[in-house]
Amino acid sequence: MQRVAKSEETRSLIVTTAMRLFTENGYNRTTMRAIAAEAGVSVGNAYYYFSSKEQLVQGFYDEMAGRHLAAARPLLDGEAGFAARLRAVLLCWLDVAEPYHRFGTQFFVNAADPESPLSPFSDDSSAAREASIGLMREVVEGSDVKLDPELRAQLPELLWLYQMGVVLFWVHDRSAGTQRSRMLVERSVPLLARLAALSRLRVFRPVSREIVGLIQDLAKRD
Amino acid sequence: MQRVAKSEETRSLIVTTAMRLFTENGYNRTTMRAIAAEAGVSVGNAYYYFSSKEQLVQGFYDEMAGRHLAAARPLLDGEAGFAARLRAVLLCWLDVAEPYHRFGTQFFVNAADPESPLSPFSDDSSAAREASIGLMREVVEGSDVKLDPELRAQLPELLWLYQMGVVLFWVHDRSAGTQRSRMLVERSVPLLARLAALSRLRVFRPVSREIVGLIQDLAKRD
DNA sequence: CCTCCTTCTTGAACACGTTCAAATCCAGGA
DNA sequence: TCCTGGATTTGAACGTGTTCAAGAAGGAGG
């Protein structure tokens, strides 16, 4: 076994152990000492591989995003309705995230920090963000929805923002099985779909254009 | 000097000192030990009056909210346009908050925690929240905007949510003088106003109704 | 087999938020 | 004046995330 393989093994052991303990006891109640002890390494060693406790979480994010993508894509096959596709993707996220709601809360708190690399808007997260926006692009492009072309181009990014809103709600959701988040999706998706359809009406066109323009300008450097 | 007055003096001394140090050096870089030393009391004494470092911030929130209310109300006099009124209130908030942008960031990170009493959605914040919604009610009711009555009843709460969105953007805003946040307000307010006006159109009515209903249901226990 | 050199690992030490038992203060009654 | 009981104040101590100087491991070259 080469040097690099051993190293990778240690790294993976640490992150796996951390995720288990986070899930079992919550983020705050899991100490770095506990993680190190449970993984059979020293505290300093954990910091050799991960620059901070927060950093340990990044790997977890990526895994969850990956699982969402994998689980969501099959749901899109053979479904052409825009609302149905969007609904499927979002409910699927709620399913994937469900087991982690308890401590996921803590994660997203860290993520709210604009300085944090965990922020969904940060450079470090750009890969994951692009992947999520890509999924939304599939939602739009695989559907039969009729849209103003400019809106169509911008819609994936808008939908991603909307998804961030759903996540924010989910974090605050204390209902059993996060039903309220599900209700939010069930009821807001048709609304969005209807709004998107309305966007082709003449009276609505200037508003729609201005929304697209605003988002484009705001996205320029943020 | 009575006992209670002395006590109140100490409390106020601590919070004032804390706010000064937070503003000078940022929230994270200001230690409880530094606050205590600068105020000339012991660390334990600070904890006698405030249950945590976070708690020290609550007073600051209240003060900022108070200043916003005081500064915003005069701006509403003699202005009947809905968009103009909303714009004035939001830009005024940006002005009031400007000096604290640097460490305000840190505050709002704490506030993102649903468990935290600092969360704008928490019970502890309900007084401040109601006051802010009240201001939005003034914005709506003092204006000449024509609205579906149901939407009109719900609009202040919706506008407060919109304001939370602006705050979220502001927290992430790194532009000089937070110009980008100002641009967001300048451009999104007319949009909202136009949308509100459109809400009276027949095609739009069901969408508008559904939005109102959704918000009402979601607000029931959150 | 020895010697470097890089990579990995260690655990004590540090800084910070927080707790708590003990000390101090002080108004009001005896 | 002295005593008493609650309000206030203290600072040492605890648990935590993080750092760092020092050492161990292990391969490359002699």
Side-chain angles (χ1 to χ4, degrees), chain A residues 63-97:
Chain A
E63 194 192 312
M64 204 166 88
R67 276 224 289 278
H68 178 222
L69 245 64
R73 249 192 268 273
L75 301 176
L76 296 180
D77 294 341
E79 176 58 70
F82 170 65
R85 290 167 73 85
L86 182 57
R87 174 180 172 280
V89 163
L90 291 172
L91 290 181
C92 176
W93 188 89
L94 289 175
D95 287 338
V96 168

Side-chain angles (χ1 to χ4, degrees), chain B residues 44-141:
Chain B
N45 201 11
Y47 278 91
Y48 178 75
Y49 288 103
F50 301 92
S51 62
S52 69
K53 188 180 178 186
E54 224 183 6
Q55 196 68 34
L56 269 170
V57 171
Q58 185 79 58
F60 175 76
Y61 272 141
D62 295 344
E63 193 191 313
M64 205 166 88
R67 276 224 288 278
H68 178 221
L69 246 64
R73 247 192 270 273
L75 300 176
L76 296 180
D77 293 342
E79 176 57 71
F82 171 65
R85 290 167 71 86
L86 181 56
R87 174 180 172 281
V89 163
L90 291 172
L91 290 181
C92 175
W93 188 89
L94 289 175
D95 287 338
V96 169
E98 182 72 40
Y100 310 108
H101 184 259
R102 203 177 139 215
F103 70 121
T105 280
Q106 193 58 48
F107 287 180
F108 290 97
V109 168
N110 296 340
D113 184 353
E115 313 286 352
S116 166
L118 290 181
S119 163
F121 303 100
S122 75
D123 289 344
D124 297 66
S125 302
S126 66
R129 185 172 62 246
E130 287 310 318
S132 296
I133 296 177
L135 183 59
M136 287 304 183
R137 200 182 326 278
E138 287 183 50
V139 167
V140 175
E141 289 179 358

Side-chain angles (χ1 to χ4, degrees), chain B residues 13-215:
Chain B
L13 172 66
I14 292 170
V15 74
T16 305
T17 306
M19 284 316 136
R20 179 164 61 80
L21 293 184
F22 285 158
T23 313
E24 282 172 15
N25 311 316
Y27 179 81
N28 279 332
R29 277 190 303 278
T30 304
T31 70
M32 289 301 281
R33 283 166 181 79
I35 295 170
E38 191 75 9
V41 301
S42 70
V43 192
N45 201 11
Y47 278 91
Y48 178 75
Y49 288 103
F50 301 92
S51 62
S52 69
K53 188 180 178 186
E54 224 183 6
Q55 196 68 34
L56 269 170
V57 171
Q58 185 79 58
F60 175 76
Y61 272 141
D62 295 344
E63 193 191 313
M64 205 166 88
R67 276 224 288 278
H68 178 221
L69 246 64
R73 247 192 270 273
L75 300 176
L76 296 180
D77 293 342
E79 176 57 71
F82 171 65
R85 290 167 71 86
L86 181 56
R87 174 180 172 281
V89 163
L90 291 172
L91 290 181
C92 175
W93 188 89
L94 289 175
D95 287 338
V96 169
E98 182 72 40
Y100 310 108
H101 184 259
R102 203 177 139 215
F103 70 121
T105 280
Q106 193 58 48
F107 287 180
F108 290 97
V109 168
N110 296 340
D113 184 353
E115 313 286 352
S116 166
L118 290 181
S119 163
F121 303 100
S122 75
D123 289 344
D124 297 66
S125 302
S126 66
R129 185 172 62 246
E130 287 310 318
S132 296
I133 296 177
L135 183 59
M136 287 304 183
R137 200 182 326 278
E138 287 183 50
V139 167
V140 175
E141 289 179 358
S143 81
D144 52 14
V145 68
K146 305 261 185 277
L147 294 167
D148 175 348
E150 277 195 43
L151 177 59
R152 188 181 199 95
Q154 211 62 34
L155 195 55
E157 200 158 346
L158 282 174
L159 291 179
W160 178 78
L161 273 176
Y162 162 60
Q163 187 183 347
M164 292 300 102
V166 171
V167 171
L168 187 63
F169 185 87
W170 175 81
V171 165
H172 285 81
D173 185 357
R174 287 288 165 277
S175 65
T178 57
Q179 323 159 11
R180 295 173 63 77
S181 298
R182 280 163 214 282
M183 173 172 107
L184 172 64
V185 170
E186 297 282 11
R187 294 183 60 180
S188 62
V189 162
L191 263 172
L192 282 185
R194 233 186 307 178
L195 276 175
L198 284 176
S199 77
R200 300 178 74 219
L201 293 183
R202 188 175 300 274
V203 281
F204 205 88
R205 199 55 83 77
V207 178
S208 157
R209 284 287 162 90
E210 173 61 9
I211 289 174
V212 169
L214 176 57
I215 300 281

Side-chain angles (χ1 to χ4, degrees), chain A residues 25-222:
Chain A
N25 311 317
Y27 180 80
N28 280 330
R29 278 191 302 278
T30 304
T31 71
M32 290 300 282
R33 282 165 182 81
I35 295 170
E38 190 76 8
V41 301
S42 70
V43 193
N45 202 9
Y47 278 92
Y48 178 75
Y49 288 103
F50 302 92
S51 62
S52 69
K53 189 179 178 186
E54 224 183 6
Q55 196 68 33
L56 270 170
V57 171
Q58 186 80 56
F60 175 76
Y61 273 141
D62 294 344
E63 194 192 312
M64 204 166 88
R67 276 224 289 278
H68 178 222
L69 245 64
R73 249 192 268 273
L75 301 176
L76 296 180
D77 294 341
E79 176 58 70
F82 170 65
R85 290 167 73 85
L86 182 57
R87 174 180 172 280
V89 163
L90 291 172
L91 290 181
C92 176
W93 188 89
L94 289 175
D95 287 338
V96 168
E98 181 72 38
Y100 311 107
H101 184 260
R102 205 177 137 215
F103 71 121
T105 280
Q106 194 57 48
F107 288 178
F108 289 98
V109 167
N110 297 339
D113 184 352
E115 313 287 353
S116 167
L118 291 181
S119 163
F121 304 100
S122 76
D123 289 344
D124 297 66
S125 302
S126 67
R129 183 172 63 246
E130 287 311 319
S132 295
I133 295 178
L135 183 59
M136 287 305 183
R137 199 181 328 277
E138 286 184 50
V139 166
V140 175
E141 290 180 358
S143 81
D144 53 13
V145 68
K146 305 261 186 276
L147 294 168
D148 175 350
E150 277 196 42
L151 177 60
R152 189 179 197 97
Q154 210 63 34
L155 196 54
E157 200 157 347
L158 282 174
L159 290 179
W160 178 79
L161 274 175
Y162 163 60
Q163 186 183 347
M164 293 299 102
V166 171
V167 171
L168 188 62
F169 185 87
W170 175 81
V171 165
H172 285 81
D173 187 356
R174 287 289 165 274
S175 66
T178 57
Q179 322 161 11
R180 295 173 63 78
S181 299
R182 279 163 214 283
M183 173 173 108
L184 172 64
V185 170
E186 296 282 9
R187 294 183 60 181
S188 61
V189 162
L191 263 171
L192 283 185
R194 232 187 306 178
L195 277 174
L198 283 177
S199 76
R200 299 179 73 219
L201 292 184
R202 188 176 300 273
V203 280
F204 205 88
R205 199 54 83 78
V207 178
S208 157
R209 285 285 163 90
E210 172 62 9
I211 289 175
V212 168
L214 177 57
I215 300 281
Q216 270 172 347
D217 287 350
L218 290 177
K220 268 177 194 156
R221 192 178 292 268
D222 207 316

